Amino acid sequence: MRIFISTGEVSGDLQGALLITALQRQAMGTGLNLEIVALGGEKMAAAGATILGDTSGIGSMGIIEALPYFIPTIQVQRRAIAYLKQNPPDLIVLIDYMTPNIGIGSYMHEHFPDVPVVYYIAPQEWVWSLSLERTKRIVSFTDKLLAIFPEEARYYQEKGAKVNWVGHPLVDKMANAPNREAARTSLGIKPEQIAIALLPASRHQELKYLLPVIFQAAQNLQSKLPEVHFWIPLSLEIFRDKIEKGIQDYGLQATIVSGQKQEVFAAVDFAITKSGTVNLELALLNVPQVVVYRLSPFTAWVGRNILKGSIPFASPVNLVVMREIVPELLQEQATAANITQAAMELLLNQEKKQKTLEDYQQMRQSLGELGVCDRAAKEILEMKI
C-alpha cells in the first residue's frame, strides 16, 4: 500500500513520526507492505518515510509573520501536487498544516476522487474559526476525520464530517518517558537543584518575539533563586546559535540539549514555555508551567480590530477543558515581570502547585486511553483493506 502523508512544522513532524511507526506496526501484523512518501521532517524520515519536502521549519503564526513562508509554502504544495499527479497513492493522510493541506486535499478530491483522504489532527477551526468556509472545504474532501480532542470531534461532526475520536497521540509518547529520578541522574541534576525548562521557540518568529522576554524572566528568577539552572531543549538545530547568544547576553546558568527533550521534561521542576503541543507534553509529566505568546503588534491589532478574533485560550492544556489550568500571558501581558511573578507563585506556593497537578489529572481524562497511535493507524489502514 502506498500512502502519502502531508504535515509541517516541528509538532507535525513529531505526530507524523508517531503515526508512521504505528502504521508500520499494524501493517506488519497483517502482512501488508507499506511505502510512505511525505512532506515532513527528520523524525518522519527516521520512522521510515521518504521525504519529498522538509517542512519542519516552514511555519508561522500571524499575518506579518507568515510573509517569509508564503513562497516556500506554495512551492512545497506545488511539488506535492506534481508528485501526486504522476504517482497517485492508495491513500492520503493529512496532519494539521492547514493551508498546504487544504490545497492538497482539494486537488485529490477533484482529480483522484477514488483515493481516500484521511484528516488526522484537523486544523483548530473549532477554536478560532472566523468563518465556516475553511471548515466546509475540509469536510468536502475528507473521507474520514480522526479527532484528537473531544471538542474537535463534536465540531466537525456537527459540520457533516465522518469523525472518529481516537485520543491524543502524546498520551502514547509520554507514557514511555523516564521517571524523575532517572531523568535527573542522566542529566546530572543534583537533588537540591531547582531545574527549570525554557522553551522559547519552535518557529523562527518566536526567537524574535518570545526569546528576549523569556530569557529576561529567567535572569530575574536567577537573581532570586541562585541555585536555579535552566535547561533548553532545541526544537531545531538551526536555533542553537541565537539561543547560545541569548544565554551569554542574559548571563544565564543554562544548558542546551539536543535529542533529550523527554529527559528534560521528566527532570525539571517548572517550565516557562511558548504556547503549543509542548504544553501538553509538560502537563502529562506533571510539570507546572507558565505559557507565553506574542505576535507582531500589527498582527495583534488586525486580529482584535478587523478580524474580531476571539480565542478563548492559547494553550492546548486550557483548550482541552475550556478553562484556565496553566497561566497564559499573551501579547502585552507577556512581560518579564509578569512571567517572573507567575513563575515564583507556582514554584513557591505549594497550594497553587497542587491545584495545577490536580487539574492536569482532570485534563488527562479528556485525552483518551493508551493506544492512540495504533487506533489511528487501524482506522487509516481500514480505508483500503
Side-chain angles (χ1 to χ4, degrees), residues 157-369:
Q157 201 157 29
E158 286 181 353
K159 300 300 181 286
K162 181 182 178 183
V163 179
N164 282 336
W165 175 57
V166 292
H168 202 292
L170 288 182
V171 170
D172 292 351
K173 180 175 184 286
M174 304 316 288
N176 298 319
N179 63 40
R180 176 181 165 85
E181 290 73 22
R184 287 177 78 94
T185 299
S186 71
L187 293 170
I189 301 174
K190 296 175 182 176
E192 69 277 9
Q193 192 175 65
I194 297 174
I196 296 179
L198 302 180
L199 300 147
S202 65
R203 301 180 178 107
H204 289 274
Q205 71 186 66
E206 292 159 354
L207 292 171
K208 176 181 179 181
Y209 293 117
L210 297 181
L211 187 145
V213 72
I214 287 176
F215 276 23
Q216 179 62 63
Q219 186 185 64
N220 295 346
L221 289 172
Q222 189 170 281
S223 68
K224 297 173 184 291
L225 306 165
E227 68 276 25
V228 77
H229 191 89
F230 300 102
W231 295 84
I232 308 172
L234 277 183
S235 54
L236 291 170
E237 189 63 35
I238 52 175
F239 293 168
R240 183 182 290 274
D241 288 348
K242 286 189 177 179
I243 289 174
E244 282 181 345
K245 185 177 186 305
I247 290 171
Q248 291 175 355
D249 290 347
Y250 289 91
L252 301 181
Q253 300 167 41
T255 301
I256 297 173
V257 294
S258 183
Q260 288 183 291
K261 189 169 74 167
Q262 274 201 344
E263 285 80 0
V264 170
F265 287 1
V268 295
D269 302 289
F270 186 76
I272 302 173
T273 170
K274 53 152 283 183
S275 170
T277 303
V278 69
N279 306 152
L280 284 174
E281 295 180 71
L282 290 162
L284 288 168
L285 291 178
N286 287 322
V287 179
Q289 60 189 296
V290 58
V291 175
V292 182
Y293 213 79
R294 274 182 170 179
L295 296 164
S296 71
F298 175 76
T299 297
W301 185 89
V302 169
R304 290 166 179 167
N305 298 284
I306 296 178
L307 301 179
K308 304 295 183 185
S310 178
I311 299 175
F313 296 104
S315 169
V317 172
N318 295 337
L319 284 169
V320 170
V321 291
M322 284 297 178
R323 66 181 178 85
E324 184 174 293
I325 292 177
V326 297
E328 295 183 357
L329 298 171
L330 310 179
Q331 215 56 28
E332 296 86 359
Q333 294 300 310
T335 65
N338 286 345
I339 297 168
T340 305
Q341 181 180 347
M344 289 297 289
E345 284 180 7
L346 278 164
L347 278 165
L348 302 180
N349 187 324
Q350 286 302 311
E351 193 175 316
K352 261 199 164 179
K353 178 181 176 181
Q354 188 57 38
K355 178 68 166 63
T356 299
L357 299 183
E358 289 170 4
D359 287 344
Y360 279 170
Q361 292 308 309
Q362 182 186 344
M363 179 218 68
R364 166 71 181 78
Q365 293 170 16
S366 298
L367 298 180
E369 299 300 320

